[in-house]
Amino acid sequence: MSAVNDTKFESKVFLLTGIPGQEDVQNLWISLPLCLMYVISILGNSVILFVIKTDLSLHEPMYMFLSMLGVTDLGLSIATIPTILGIYLFNSREISLDACFTQLFFIQSLHCTESSVLLLMAFDRFIAIRDPLRYTSILTLPRIAKMGLVCVLRGVALMLPLPLLLKRFRYCRVNVLSHSYCMHQEVMKMACSDIRVNNIYGLFITVLTVGFDSLLIFLSYVMILKTVLSIVSQKEFLRALNTCVSHFCAVLLFYTPEFSLTLIHRFGKGSSPLFQIVLGYINLLVPPLINPIVYSVKSKYLRSRIIRV
């Protein structure tokens, strides 16, 4: 009898949520800023990609890594647009299980890829400061392409088991998600099955990607700082540090909300739902929005090419 009841209440869709308590005003005050953020994100990253592709003088390691970051940010924006704007513009809250798992996979794999790209960019800055004469001979275009391919394959390989593990579950509990998009940590809690494997694997890939990459980036900056402090000329010292400012901002924008969300979902059961939702939006929407602006402002050469376009 219980099996029949479980089947009867098995969920076929999830219901996404906007900002709780703001349903009356969210269409007007939230949808327009979100649309503007998406337009700026897509336009900014697309312009940078176009400029780097068409200007042969920008076919250098730093700009190749920047183009990888731009592609990843574009992917994150596109992966979240349908559900987030669907809620605020059309009040469309339903999402099928397969669509939810697909969105979850793309968001997770793109996040993993972006973390890898930020690590490569830290390595790029270290080589440029530590050994500038051999910079272009070490980071050749074929080698950079192979690095980018490894980043993508790493993200796909590590995140592909997530939707496959979730797909084998049955979902017969409350099917209302607290975000406007699908997250592994939340979807797995909707299952009426043993989720220990998902918990362990989710923690494993978090440590392997975000934890390991951030540790290597930190060590890269320690070595960069050690190299910079050995420079006698103050002008060269400041110029070397200035080349790292854009990347350092990108790292802070990516890892600060990422670490905060991870800690909240693992240990912060009593935290405010509104705070979690806002932090989730910052995690997904702010890096693709700010990264092209920061790099355009800090790089005079890139900024001049963008203005010319």
Side-chain angles (χ1 to χ4, degrees), residues 11-301:
S11 299
K12 298 297 182 183
V13 297
F14 289 126
L15 296 178
L16 301 169
T17 306
I19 296 181
Q22 304 296 320
E23 288 80 6
D24 295 334
V25 298
Q26 64 186 16
N27 287 340
L28 176 63
W29 297 108
I30 301 177
S31 59
L32 290 179
L34 283 176
C35 286
L36 185 61
M37 290 176 69
Y38 274 124
V39 169
I40 295 174
S41 300
I42 293 175
L43 185 62
N45 286 290
S46 298
V47 169
I48 285 182
L49 288 173
F50 175 77
V51 169
I52 293 175
K53 183 179 184 300
T54 55
D55 195 330
L56 296 179
S57 62
L58 294 177
H59 289 188
E60 298 178 0
M62 183 181 74
Y63 297 109
M64 292 295 102
F65 289 123
L66 178 58
S67 65
M68 292 182 194
L69 186 66
V71 170
T72 309
D73 284 338
L74 271 178
L76 278 172
S77 297
I78 294 171
T80 55
I81 281 176
T83 54
I84 294 180
L85 290 187
I87 291 173
Y88 294 114
L89 292 179
F90 310 109
N91 198 28
S92 175
R93 297 180 57 202
E94 287 191 359
I95 182 171
S96 67
L97 299 188
D98 289 338
C100 184
F101 299 154
T102 302
Q103 184 187 50
L104 178 151
F105 165 73
F106 278 106
I107 290 176
Q108 296 285 132
S109 60
L110 287 167
H111 256 281
C112 178
T113 303
E114 181 155 350
S115 179
S116 303
V117 171
L118 289 173
L119 175 57
L120 292 181
M121 295 175 83
F123 176 69
D124 164 75
R125 291 298 84 206
F126 170 69
I127 297 296
I129 294 173
R130 182 70 176 269
D131 200 353
L133 296 179
R134 298 178 56 213
Y135 175 59
T136 54
S137 63
I138 294 175
L139 294 175
T140 61
L141 293 183
R143 190 169 292 168
I144 291 172
K146 291 176 183 177
M147 290 178 176
L149 180 61
V150 169
C151 291
V152 174
L153 293 178
R154 179 201 187 203
V156 172
L158 288 176
M159 301 305 168
L160 187 58
L162 292 181
L164 298 179
L165 288 170
L166 292 172
K167 197 172 179 63
R168 65 191 178 95
F169 293 150
R170 290 171 51 255
Y171 298 89
C172 52
R173 296 178 181 174
V174 177
N175 64 338
V176 180
L177 303 176
S178 61
H179 290 76
S180 306
Y181 51 89
C182 294
M183 297 177 60
H184 173 255
Q185 297 95 324
E186 189 175 20
V187 172
M188 70 177 181
K189 294 177 183 177
M190 301 292 172
C192 34
S193 307
D194 186 0
I195 61 172
R196 280 180 296 181
V197 174
N198 288 64
N199 258 322
I200 294 171
Y201 187 72
L203 181 60
F204 167 74
I205 60 176
T206 299
V207 173
L208 186 61
T209 56
V210 176
F212 186 66
D213 292 350
S214 60
L215 176 62
L216 290 181
I217 290 173
F218 173 75
L219 293 176
S220 298
Y221 269 100
V222 170
M223 297 170 71
I224 287 172
L225 189 60
K226 183 179 178 181
T227 304
V228 168
L229 289 175
S230 65
I231 299 175
V232 178
S233 170
Q234 184 179 5
K235 183 178 180 181
E236 292 296 322
F237 173 85
L238 294 175
R239 192 175 73 171
L241 282 181
N242 191 52
T243 62
C244 299
V245 171
S246 301
H247 177 257
F248 188 71
C249 291
V251 169
L252 287 180
L253 285 171
F254 180 82
Y255 285 107
T256 302
E258 185 74 18
F259 275 123
S260 302
L261 273 178
T262 301
L263 291 174
I264 287 173
H265 283 120
R266 295 284 173 185
F267 310 109
K269 295 183 179 180
S271 62
S272 167
L274 179 60
F275 178 70
Q276 292 186 33
I277 292 171
V278 172
L279 196 59
Y281 282 140
I282 293 173
N283 186 40
L284 279 182
L285 305 182
V286 172
L289 174 70
I290 301 298
N291 284 339
I293 297 174
V294 170
Y295 275 94
S296 300
V297 169
K298 292 301 297 179
S299 174
K300 293 181 180 179
Y301 197 69

